[in-house]
Amino acid sequence: MDNFKKALLSVITFTVFCGFIYTMVMTGICQVLFPNSANGKIIEVNGVKYGSELLGQQYTSDRYMWGRITKIDVSTYKDTEGNQLAYAAPSNLSPASEDYEKLIAQRVEKIRKANPEKGNEPIPVDLVTNSGSGLDPDISVAAAKYQVERLARENNMTKEEVNAIIDKCTNHKVLGFFGEETVNVLKVNLMLDKII
């Protein structure tokens, strides 16, 4: 019975400490030091929340930049005419499977059709594959630049204007050498729509 009391006391103590006290202290510290990140880096303009800088949103309309394939339900993302702007494509397919090979071939065909100016130029891999989490909000600079001609054509802009937007939405390497430069797809698309 003595061991049971000790075990029960341990469970209660660690539940209170780890489940409540630690959580509240860390939440408080993050809210004070990093409030934007702690709250999901939601992009809000004039009271309208457009999404999080931290979660991928897969756009399919030719007038928007396309990101990585996402694993979230985006069925509610529709334009003013009710057309779906995004889609979810969760996949646990092995890269060695025939189904995965067919899926990649479909994506390559779609991207080539939407970007005829690129001809047979190699497509950056992040435009045709999922990330490990399936939720990445960013793509490589090469993947963003691959879409410049289409975005300029579809939005009645010059390539220079589109490149300027991409440059503004580029996340640079930490301290100039850690990581890779990436482009936030949601920010680019909101700038294309002149929302931000």
Side-chain angles (χ1 to χ4, degrees):
M1 191 64 160
D2 193 41
N3 286 338
F4 176 76
K5 288 179 184 178
K6 288 179 183 178
L8 182 61
L9 183 61
S10 293
V11 168
I12 292 170
T13 301
F14 281 107
T15 300
V16 170
F17 180 76
C18 297
F20 298 103
I21 296 172
Y22 176 79
T23 304
M24 290 171 55
V25 168
M26 293 309 296
T27 300
I29 290 170
C30 290
Q31 286 293 337
V32 170
L33 298 177
F34 316 105
N36 190 32
S37 295
N39 293 313
K41 286 192 170 183
I42 303 296
I43 298 176
E44 184 174 349
V45 180
N46 298 326
V48 178
K49 295 179 180 178
Y50 289 95
S52 170
E53 289 180 42
L54 305 175
L55 290 175
Q57 298 179 27
Q58 187 71 39
Y59 289 84
T60 58
S61 171
D62 285 351
R63 65 180 301 265
Y64 292 112
M65 177 171 282
W66 297 349
R68 297 196 78 161
I69 305 304
T70 63
K71 290 186 179 182
I72 56 176
D73 179 12
V74 291
S75 59
T76 59
Y77 299 138
K78 299 186 186 292
D79 64 16
T80 54
E81 293 152 14
N83 299 317
Q84 191 166 330
L85 295 173
Y87 66 96
S91 173
N92 289 330
L93 297 175
S94 164
S97 74
E98 288 181 24
D99 290 339
Y100 187 76
E101 188 176 330
K102 289 176 188 174
L103 184 61
I104 296 297
Q106 290 171 352
R107 293 176 186 167
V108 167
E109 181 182 347
K110 179 178 179 167
I111 289 169
R112 291 225 187 273
K113 185 177 178 184
N115 300 278
E117 302 89 350
K118 291 300 186 181
N120 289 325
E121 183 178 323
I123 299 170
V125 70
D126 47 334
L127 287 180
V128 296
T129 58
N130 293 65
S131 66
S133 68
L135 300 172
D136 282 7
D138 303 322
I139 57 175
S140 65
V141 174
K145 298 287 185 179
Y146 185 91
Q147 303 177 68
V148 167
E149 287 87 354
R150 172 175 53 83
L151 294 173
R153 172 177 24 94
E154 294 291 328
N155 290 285
N156 297 315
M157 300 171 79
T158 66
K159 290 192 291 187
E160 291 75 22
E161 290 171 319
V162 174
N163 276 314
I165 290 173
I166 290 170
D167 291 342
K168 287 179 186 174
C169 298
T170 298
N171 304 310
H172 298 284
K173 296 179 180 184
V174 178
L175 301 176
F177 59 92
F178 285 117
E180 298 295 325
E181 290 190 338
T182 58
V183 178
N184 188 280
V185 175
L186 177 60
K187 283 184 176 179
V188 169
N189 289 332
L190 292 176
M191 289 184 83
L192 289 172
D193 279 343
K194 298 178 175 51
I195 291 172
I196 58 173

